[in-house]
Amino acid sequence: MQRQHYAASDLAALGREWIAAWNSHDLERILALYAEDAEMTSDRIQALGLAASGTLRGKDKLRMYWSKAFQLLPNLHFDLIDTYVSPDSVVVFYQNERGAQICEYLRLDANGKIRQGSANHLAH
């Protein structure tokens, strides 16, 4: 399977849109950035007891997870620090409303939708 390659400027723009979508608190706007079969990995998935593996697959499961996140964090807000790109992925480096700095790895599919995401938090 040949991977799609994207321009760095397009990937950086996706990173900015990803931040804007989260800050809008519009779950459907966020989900529109993702492929139907997207998977997301985060230690927060484990902490919420949603999957022992820390990975959820498919938009329905992502919708459930992020809906719960918005209920638990009504003041959720991300401030973009920077974006880092490769030919088919972007890492969005940001700070959340509690001051934590997070790197979100987002790999795209051939249609320009996020097919794999991973929230990476600082190890303590």
Side-chain angles (χ1 to χ4, degrees):
M1 184 171 112
Q2 188 172 358
R3 285 191 178 160
Q4 182 72 32
H5 295 279
Y6 295 93
S9 59
D10 292 340
L11 290 162
L14 173 66
R16 290 189 300 275
E17 171 55 23
W18 186 88
I19 291 282
W22 276 98
N23 287 341
S24 76
H25 288 220
D26 181 343
L27 194 51
E28 295 309 311
R29 180 177 172 186
I30 298 164
L31 287 164
L33 300 173
Y34 288 78
E36 287 299 320
D37 62 347
E39 70 176 40
M40 177 68 204
T41 302
S42 173
D43 60 350
R44 303 306 187 250
I45 292 169
Q46 292 171 316
L48 290 172
L50 300 175
S53 67
T55 298
L56 295 174
R57 287 180 184 81
K59 275 193 179 180
D60 288 342
K61 289 186 179 171
L62 296 180
R63 182 179 285 110
M64 177 262 315
Y65 167 43
W66 292 332
S67 176
K68 188 170 197 164
F70 280 130
Q71 290 170 9
L72 294 171
L73 301 165
N75 298 322
L76 182 134
H77 181 83
F78 299 158
D79 289 311
L80 181 64
I81 297 170
D82 219 335
T83 55
Y84 302 85
V85 300
S86 81
D88 70 345
S89 67
V90 59
V91 172
V92 182
F93 180 36
Y94 64 96
Q95 183 168 299
N96 70 16
E97 73 287 349
R98 292 162 299 183
Q101 292 184 346
I102 303 160
C103 289
E104 193 93 17
Y105 165 82
L106 305 170
R107 172 161 277 151
L108 278 58
D109 66 11
N111 299 313
K113 298 290 185 180
I114 300 165
R115 69 173 173 88
Q116 181 184 13
S118 178
N120 296 268
H121 301 89
L122 189 63
H124 297 286

